[in-house]
Amino acid sequence: NPLSWYLNDNRNVAAKLAKEGDDWLQRGDYKHAAKKYQDSLFLNDKSGQVHYNLATASLQIGAEEEYARAIFHFNRAIELAGADAPKLYALGLAYFKVGQKETARQVWSDALKFDPNNTGAKNGLAVLDKPQGSAAGPTGFTVRRVAQKTFNIP
């Protein structure tokens, strides 16, 4: 293919941008991390890890439009890299944050099918089972910690 050098160069630049995003994510600068991941995905949108990391950064930023972005990218990460308990927990948390509590319940239930001991999913379901008005959100979890474990981010 006469354009293979170009495609390889795009993948290399995308990987470099993703690494820069990882560095920002590790430092807790979620806005800069999200920007680097977006740039990386512009060049190579087939990385489940980068979609997951962008979703993680978006969820940590915390604005409502970022929650919607997180939902999109968690779903894309699952599509590309497969489902597992950490991804499903984080996706459920994003749904919870936008008020889609029944969807969060289903996703967290699915997370427990992968790992019946997933503390985040158990805590999320427990919060949903509390009486109305007391559901502040699951505790004892950070999306960053899940990203670290899922993709070996230091």
Side-chain angles (χ1 to χ4, degrees):
N1 180 352
L3 294 179
S4 62
W5 68 269
Y6 173 76
L7 297 175
N8 287 334
D9 190 53
N10 276 354
R11 283 191 285 271
N12 291 337
V13 172
K16 180 181 179 290
L17 290 166
K19 172 65 175 102
E20 291 174 15
D22 293 345
D23 293 343
W24 286 112
L25 187 68
Q26 184 179 7
R27 286 182 276 209
D29 189 331
Y30 304 114
K31 288 184 180 181
H32 279 103
K35 174 69 171 115
K36 292 297 180 179
Y37 292 136
Q38 287 170 339
D39 292 347
S40 175
L41 289 172
F42 183 74
L43 295 171
N44 177 15
D45 71 345
K46 303 291 188 229
S47 172
Q49 179 175 346
V50 177
H51 280 283
Y52 181 84
N53 289 352
L54 174 54
T56 298
S58 296
L59 193 55
Q60 291 289 354
I61 291 168
E64 189 157 341
E65 64 274 6
E66 294 297 329
Y67 295 142
R69 183 185 324 272
I71 290 168
F72 173 82
H73 287 286
F74 281 133
N75 277 307
R76 188 75 173 121
I78 290 167
E79 180 183 323
L80 291 168
D84 58 33
K87 287 186 202 102
L88 290 169
Y89 172 75
L91 175 61
L93 185 59
Y95 279 121
F96 182 89
K97 294 289 190 179
V98 296
Q100 293 186 25
K101 292 182 172 63
E102 287 310 308
T103 303
R105 178 186 305 280
Q106 181 59 53
V107 173
W108 286 333
S109 294
D110 289 345
L112 293 175
K113 292 175 186 172
F114 284 91
D115 176 7
N117 297 314
N118 184 283
T119 305
K122 285 181 174 181
N123 288 345
L125 290 170
V127 166
L128 290 175
D129 290 338
K130 287 183 181 179
Q132 192 75 325
S134 62
T139 61
F141 166 83
T142 66
V143 175
R144 182 175 180 205
R145 190 174 318 137
V146 169
Q148 289 170 329
K149 288 180 182 178
T150 303
F151 295 111
N152 298 319
I153 297 172

